[in-house]
């Protein structure tokens, strides 16, 4: 079993926080184990919890459409979330939940060693230790992060549910994804 499968196995039986009690399935993440790009969302929603796969609901379809429009293949990326179990009523994960789940995310980054991380929204930024007071300070920017020795570059944009809800934000979301495409060698 490879490192990613090993992590998924641990995630699937994890009981480190309360979110585990309400889940149908944990959602470790999926995609290319040799991905150049790792996409990090917030947390599973209803359909992700039902299927055990990330971004398969409405915001997933929206994300897929925009990735494709930017020329990024979702199949070639690895897609995961800051927390691996669905928060009740899709509330935002708490700081403690993000902190508790963080070692799984870091282990996935270490296993894949992607060229670039794409952080979608505040929870992903928080999980990666990116400092900001408002997301606009880091949105559309490339940030250098150091995960205890492992240095990775991370591009930050909105969580797809934001441009999905506010059509005026769709153009900048697409521009961000096009920048990401250009950064991938
Ligand atoms: N929103 C997320 O952040 N992640 C998912 O997997 C689905 C919706």
């Amino acid at each position: 079993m490879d490192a990613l499968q090993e992590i998924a196995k641990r995630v699937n039986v994890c009981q480190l926080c309360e979110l585990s009690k309400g889940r149908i399935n944990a959602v470790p993440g999926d995609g290319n184990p040799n991905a150049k790009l790792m996409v990090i969302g917030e947390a599973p929603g209803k359909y992700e919890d039902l299927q055990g796969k990330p971004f398969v609901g409405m915001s997933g379809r929206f994300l897929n459409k925009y990735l494709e429009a930017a020329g990024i293949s979702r199949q070639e990326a690895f897609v995961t979330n800051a927390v691996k179990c669905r928060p009740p009523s899709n509330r935002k994960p708490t700081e403690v939940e993000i902190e508790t789940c963080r070692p799984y995310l870091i282990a996935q980054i270490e296993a894949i060693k992607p060229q670039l991380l794409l952080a979608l929204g505040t929870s992903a930024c928080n999980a990666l230790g990116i400092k900001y007071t408002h997301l606009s300070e880091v949105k559309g920017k490339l940030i250098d992060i150091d995960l205890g020795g492992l240095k990775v570059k991370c591009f930050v944009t909105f969580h797809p549910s934001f441009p999905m809800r506010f059509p005026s934000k769709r153009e900048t979301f697409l521009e961000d994804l096009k920048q990401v495409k250009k950064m991938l060698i």
Side-chain angles (χ1 to χ4, degrees):
M1 195 180 289
D2 69 20
L4 271 183
Q5 287 173 323
E6 200 62 68
I7 298 160
K9 206 172 139 190
R10 284 194 280 129
V11 166
N12 287 332
V13 296
C14 178
Q15 298 191 346
L16 290 176
C17 86
E18 291 291 303
L19 296 183
S20 61
K21 298 196 175 130
R23 75 178 172 227
I24 295 172
N25 288 292
V27 182
D30 73 356
N32 180 359
N34 303 309
K36 291 181 189 172
L37 177 68
M38 184 163 164
V39 180
I40 305 167
E42 181 168 280
K46 179 179 173 184
Y47 295 98
E48 290 78 21
D49 179 56
L50 282 171
Q51 294 184 38
K53 300 233 179 293
F55 281 108
V56 290
M58 242 178 25
S59 56
R61 283 196 293 280
F62 184 87
L63 175 65
N64 291 347
K65 188 171 134 186
Y66 276 76
L67 286 175
E68 199 184 319
I72 300 169
S73 151
R74 173 166 169 168
Q75 285 67 39
E76 282 172 23
F78 186 86
V79 181
T80 188
N81 284 301
V83 304
K84 315 300 193 204
C85 295
R86 182 190 182 196
S89 318
N90 297 341
R91 66 156 169 75
K92 261 181 140 28
T94 64
E95 254 176 60
V96 171
E97 288 158 357
I98 290 176
E99 202 48 46
T100 308
C101 217
R102 191 169 187 264
Y104 297 125
L105 179 66
I106 306 300
Q108 288 173 320
I109 298 170
E110 281 169 347
I112 296 169
K113 295 192 178 55
Q115 233 175 58
L116 187 65
L117 304 178
L118 173 61
L120 302 174
T122 54
S123 295
C125 287
N126 296 344
L128 295 166
I130 295 171
K131 302 276 175 264
Y132 61 91
T133 31
H134 192 272
L135 190 74
S136 60
E137 294 159 27
V138 286
K139 185 248 165 220
K141 297 208 167 91
L142 190 63
I143 317 272
D144 283 309
I145 50 183
D146 189 341
L147 301 166
L150 179 67
K151 292 183 169 46
V152 213
K153 292 201 180 292
C154 179
F155 190 89
V156 177
T157 190
F158 298 134
H159 187 278
S161 61
F162 186 64
M164 190 169 79
R165 179 147 175 234
F166 298 103
S168 67
K169 303 294 174 190
R170 291 178 188 175
E171 197 178 321
T172 173
F173 183 60
L174 180 59
E175 286 313 312
D176 282 353
L177 296 180
K178 285 182 178 168
Q179 278 207 61
V180 167
K181 168 70 184 173
K182 279 194 204 145
M183 285 173 200
L184 297 169
I185 311 159

